[in-house]
Amino acid sequence: MEPLLGVLLGLILAAASSAQNNCTCATNRWTVCAQNGPENCTCTLVGSSHKVDCSTLMPKCLLMKAEMMLLKEKHFQGHPHGLLDFDAIYSPDCEDSGIFKARQCNQADACWCVNTACIRITEKVDKSLRCDELVRTSWIYIRLKHKKRSGALGAAHVTNALKQLFESQYKMHPKYITAIEYNSPLIQIHLNQHDSGKSKCDVDITDVAYYFEKDIKDDSIFHSNSTLTVSVNGDALDIEKIRIFYIDEKPPLFSMNEQAGDVIAVVIAVALAAGLGITVLGILRLRR
């Protein structure tokens, strides 16, 4: 009887250990999870008490906040007596819902307004800055480039493979994938989403773009943290470059002074290039 009791106890402990090991957040590795019953696994974001819905993507603001906290801890452990400048890479301010606050500030008390993708849309000023609204990024343009291949890939096959990837991996509704264009080795993906047509259960295109970029750069947010493989008819598509462009529903609010500075810089660069060209032509004529 005692040996049988020991076997049963061992099985119970093994089952409990297995359940504990399975208590993970598939869509977010920056979480701490705890088993609160046979089928109840609760996960919170690293460094906070924010509960995570592991069935969908985590908002970009909360991801950046968790990533920044881990980065600070890593640097602090390596340099316990040093000071670090985190003004360029800062911990963002988030609303309770997980979206970015319209105004962001760094440790140097410089503040600026952002869009829903946390792209700066004003110049940096002091804390007197007011940001009346969080401007929505409604269109995201992703440009990819894959490595040279010996065999050609059909545009339709590439399009279907990427659509399936965005739908299965990132839970994106296909209506937000407005276009995918392929002209080897370049791939262009257009994501379009407005508040009027977005439901509460739909993932935001800015979150999708953030997850996708992390996957392409081998820094996946998913718990598996495995390298993303884009497969086209069973053939892996090796992506080597990615660039993402964000277009808002409203134009940016940069001051004329900052825009004028950019224009002047461009004019100076063009003038220098033209002057160099004229000088080279003159030297060539003299030699002739």
Side-chain angles (χ1 to χ4, degrees), residues 53 56 176 195 197-204:
D53 180 3
T56 187
Y176 300 128
D195 274 334
K198 180 178 178 293
S199 68
K200 290 183 178 180
C201 60
D202 288 337
V203 294
D204 196 281

Side-chain angles (χ1 to χ4, degrees), residues 23-265:
C23 184
T24 56
C25 187
T27 57
N28 192 342
R29 62 186 171 95
W30 297 326
T31 53
V32 178
C33 300
Q35 195 82 34
N36 298 325
E39 298 180 358
N40 188 14
C41 178
T42 302
C43 298
T44 57
L45 197 65
V46 168
S48 74
S49 58
H50 186 92
K51 290 186 178 181
V52 178
D53 180 3
C54 296
S55 65
T56 187
L57 304 188
M58 168 70 71
K60 181 180 177 180
C61 186
L62 295 174
L63 290 173
M64 289 177 61
K65 205 169 187 69
E67 189 175 15
M68 187 61 199
M69 180 167 293
L70 293 172
L71 183 63
K72 282 185 177 181
E73 290 179 356
K74 181 180 179 181
H75 279 267
F76 183 75
Q77 291 171 1
H79 308 277
H81 303 294
L83 296 175
L84 297 173
D85 179 12
F86 285 102
D87 290 340
I89 308 174
Y90 70 101
S91 180
D93 292 324
C94 311
E95 301 285 0
D96 293 338
S97 61
I99 64 173
F100 293 97
K101 288 187 177 181
R103 192 188 76 163
Q104 298 289 321
C105 300
N106 60 18
Q107 293 179 356
D109 291 336
C111 300
W112 59 93
C113 301
V114 299
N115 58 17
T116 51
C118 201
I119 306 300
R120 184 167 65 93
I121 59 174
T122 65
E123 63 275 12
K124 291 183 178 180
V125 296
D126 55 31
K127 286 192 172 183
S128 64
L129 176 69
R130 288 186 57 187
C131 304
D132 296 328
E133 63 174 332
L134 182 67
V135 177
R136 177 161 184 76
T137 297
S138 57
W139 178 29
I140 293 180
Y141 166 56
I142 304 173
R143 188 164 63 192
L144 306 171
K145 181 182 179 182
H146 65 71
K147 292 182 179 179
K148 291 184 179 179
R149 301 174 48 85
S150 57
L153 291 170
H157 295 308
V158 173
T159 298
N160 290 334
L162 286 170
K163 280 186 175 180
Q164 291 177 7
L165 174 70
F166 274 78
E167 292 174 30
S168 59
Q169 178 92 336
Y170 308 107
K171 318 298 181 185
M172 167 155 276
H173 196 289
K175 68 180 180 181
Y176 300 128
I177 309 172
T178 53
I180 297 178
E181 302 168 7
Y182 177 59
N183 185 15
S184 181
L186 299 178
I187 304 171
Q188 301 175 54
I189 304 172
H190 298 263
L191 307 179
N192 202 301
Q193 185 182 65
H194 296 272
D195 274 334
S196 57
K198 180 178 178 293
S199 68
K200 290 183 178 180
C201 60
D202 288 337
V203 294
D204 196 281
I205 57 173
T206 58
D207 301 334
V208 171
Y210 192 67
Y211 268 82
F212 182 61
E213 184 177 20
K214 287 282 190 181
D215 280 341
I216 293 296
K217 293 182 177 180
D218 291 339
D219 187 23
S220 179
I221 300 169
F222 291 100
H223 182 74
S224 60
N225 196 24
S226 58
T227 302
L228 175 69
T229 301
V230 181
S231 180
V232 181
N233 287 343
D235 195 1
L237 192 63
D238 196 355
I239 306 296
E240 62 177 355
K241 289 184 180 179
I242 178 172
R243 293 198 70 184
I244 302 179
F245 302 87
Y246 302 87
I247 298 91
D248 297 339
E249 293 180 344
K250 296 182 179 181
L253 305 172
F254 292 108
S255 66
M256 291 304 296
N257 291 336
E258 186 165 338
Q259 292 179 3
D262 293 339
V263 172
I264 291 171

